[in-house]
Amino acid sequence: MRTADVLVMGGMILLAAGPVGAEWKRHTIDRSSKGADGVRKMDVNGDGHLDITTGWEEGGIIRVYVNPGPKKSKAEWPAVTVGKVASPEDAVFADLDGDGAVDVVSSCEGGNRTTYVHWAPREAKDYLKPAEWKTEAIPATAKKQSWMYALPLEIDGKHGIDLVLGSKGGNGSVGWLQAPKDPRVVTDWKFHRLYDAGWIMSIEALDVDGDGDQDVVLSDRQGRTGVKWLENPGTEIAAKGERWKEHLIGSERKEVMFLCIADLDGDGRKDIVATNRNRHVEWFRRGEGAEVAWEAHSFALPFGLPFGKAVAVGDIDLDGKREVVTTNRGREPARCVAWQKFMESPTEQKWTDHDIGGTTGAKFDLIELIDLLHPHQPRPTGDQRRRGQKSDFLAIAISDFLAITRPEKGIS
């Protein structure tokens, strides 16, 4: 019988769902360092299973974890330290040189203030050998800003993947690194500033205006706060390094945290859901028609917690509707990882709260939702679920260890 899972990170753990209101079971996949901070996913070896990477901020290392498949997902995952850098805040997969081996890009703050490429070995058999990885700083970023987040995204239509970067502090920005003809020549990468930032939390790609290219959606928690989108002017103008037009979506004058892009109300249009440190989740419903317009809605964070952090959207209880999963903070002990379900419509403020992480742990970060035990099977419909077929579901968060949460008896 299928059950629903959630993966949580703080030593590297996985969480699995139980009955409504019940704490989910954790499975640690790594506790070898300190301060796992920001997990990203990608199938790096083509086996159909999503692998993950993270930077351990206090430990000063970047790690890759290869998903061992359903039968071994509850144990420690095969892993490799791909580089050692001070104060990493983010790590993300990207095959920057197009050789078929997936590299890792890390963004660092603190006294480091540099973005690095960790070049993967070209031979698949060497992927888990730390000595075969090579770490190089990108000079255009070195000691320039406190880098917080990177998004691989092809912008100018030349030389493969570019990188959109976000930072914080006095010189904070969102900008993009333009890939050179030979991406391995790190001195040739050029940085183009797009937006003056206070403290960037999220950067996501979405064709907001429907013109065929990817715009950038961001959350900025300090200074010029809010959820915004930057309008991609097209490859020709973008290649010149000009700034992109800025548009406000919402959450102005609020300390907005992470965001995700999802069709929350099931109308076929992409909405934006964001947490903040103002006691609620805010979501922006995309309006009908070609005009870009947003309708703001909000609901309280779970269990009365004051400070939101990360957010993800998925069908947790398999009823055909989408639920919201968040990590949060509040007076301890607190139930900091939870999922919420709307009663009639997500536009109403009637949401029920359901525990995931219990009161163990208090500082969690990014969440990813992954089906660990049945990655190649379609998720069952509400009718299938009522006949007893359930889903294994993984959500990933970050704290002092990396973990997966999995429900033992399913969600009722």
Side-chain angles (χ1 to χ4, degrees):
M1 213 177 259
R2 302 181 69 179
T3 57
D5 296 348
V6 175
L7 171 66
V8 177
M9 313 250 173
M12 277 247 184
I13 51 172
L14 307 181
L15 297 177
V20 168
E23 179 181 344
W24 295 14
K25 186 174 181 179
R26 304 186 184 206
H27 304 276
T28 299
I29 65 173
D30 187 16
R31 60 170 75 252
S32 64
S33 190
K34 295 182 179 180
D37 194 356
V39 66
R40 314 286 283 276
K41 66 183 187 294
M42 184 178 180
D43 179 6
V44 300
N45 55 10
D47 65 355
H49 304 308
L50 288 171
D51 311 298
I52 57 178
T53 185
T54 190
W56 293 82
E57 187 170 5
E58 280 76 26
I61 60 174
I62 308 299
R63 299 266 281 171
V64 166
Y65 301 84
V66 176
N67 188 332
K71 293 182 179 179
K72 298 181 179 180
S73 63
K74 297 180 183 179
E76 291 190 1
W77 289 17
V80 58
T81 297
V82 304
K84 297 181 179 180
V85 294
S87 303
E89 182 66 24
D90 177 60
V92 63
F93 290 118
D95 182 7
L96 292 184
D97 56 0
D99 65 352
V102 180
D103 313 303
V104 176
V105 177
S106 62
S107 302
C108 301
E109 55 166 338
N112 192 342
R113 293 162 54 87
T114 301
T115 298
Y116 295 85
V117 182
H118 309 278
W119 299 107
R122 285 187 167 89
E123 297 294 329
K125 64 182 178 61
D126 296 329
Y127 202 78
L128 291 179
K129 298 178 181 179
E132 299 299 319
W133 287 76
K134 180 182 179 182
T135 297
E136 289 187 291
I138 300 178
T141 70
K143 304 296 182 182
K144 299 292 177 62
Q145 300 179 46
S146 293
W147 303 106
M148 303 298 289
Y149 202 89
L151 173 69
L153 182 67
E154 188 168 344
I155 293 176
D156 61 1
K158 303 176 182 178
H159 315 315
I161 298 173
D162 306 296
L163 293 169
V164 182
L165 303 182
S167 67
K168 71 174 184 179
N171 192 34
S173 73
V174 172
W176 66 287
L177 281 168
Q178 187 174 20
K181 183 176 182 180
D182 183 355
R184 284 271 184 167
V185 182
V186 292
T187 54
D188 288 350
W189 286 75
K190 296 180 180 179
F191 181 73
H192 303 289
R193 192 179 185 97
L194 300 178
Y195 165 86
D196 298 328
W199 185 338
I200 292 299
M201 295 297 293
S202 293
I203 303 173
E204 300 293 342
L206 177 68
D207 183 5
V208 178
D209 52 8
D211 64 355
D213 54 33
Q214 294 293 295
D215 307 298
V216 169
V217 180
L218 64 90
S219 57
D220 192 345
R221 67 180 285 189
Q222 285 188 359
R224 301 171 62 242
T225 61
V227 175
K228 307 175 183 182
W229 68 280
L230 306 180
E231 184 177 348
N232 189 332
T235 56
E236 184 175 346
I237 296 176
K240 297 177 181 179
E242 297 181 11
R243 292 209 178 197
W244 296 10
K245 186 177 180 180
E246 172 188 335
H247 304 267
L248 178 67
I249 296 172
S251 293
E252 192 175 19
R253 294 187 295 277
K254 297 177 182 177
E255 190 174 358
V256 63
M257 302 300 282
F258 288 108
L259 64 78
C260 73
I261 298 171
D263 180 9
L264 185 58
D265 59 358
D267 65 357
R269 297 185 294 273
K270 294 293 186 181
D271 309 307
I272 298 173
V273 185
T275 57
N276 58 51
R277 292 172 62 86
N278 301 85
R279 296 185 173 275
H280 62 271
V281 177
E282 200 159 25
W283 73 281
F284 304 96
R285 181 177 181 271
R286 179 64 187 266
E288 297 182 16
E291 183 182 355
V292 179
W294 307 91
E295 182 181 278
H297 301 274
S298 66
F299 55 93
L301 288 170
F303 306 116
L305 292 172
F307 304 133
K309 189 67 180 286
V311 60
V313 172
D315 184 3
I316 302 300
D317 61 1
L318 306 179
D319 65 348
K321 299 178 181 179
R322 293 161 179 81
E323 287 78 47
V324 174
V325 183
T326 54
T327 58
N328 310 280
R329 295 202 73 177
R331 179 177 294 180
E332 300 174 26
R335 291 173 288 181
C336 297
V337 185
W339 65 281
Q340 293 174 278
K341 180 180 181 63
F342 62 84
M343 301 298 289
E344 300 295 333
S345 167
T347 61
E348 300 176 358
Q349 295 187 352
K350 298 177 181 179
W351 292 68
T352 57
D353 304 340
H354 306 274
D355 188 22
I356 290 177
T359 58
T360 301
K363 187 177 182 181
F364 299 91
D365 212 286
L366 285 175
I367 302 171
E368 297 284 357
L369 303 182
I370 307 172
D371 189 337
L372 278 182
L373 298 191
H374 305 87
H376 306 298
Q377 298 180 20
R379 302 194 68 209
T381 64
D383 288 341
Q384 289 171 324
R385 182 178 179 274
R386 283 187 285 274
R387 294 195 298 268
Q389 185 179 5
K390 301 180 181 179
S391 170
D392 292 296
F393 206 52
L394 170 68
I396 301 177
I398 292 287
S399 183
D400 294 328
F401 57 92
L402 183 56
I404 298 173
T405 305
R406 173 172 292 116
E408 290 300 291
K409 298 180 180 179
I411 300 175
S412 57

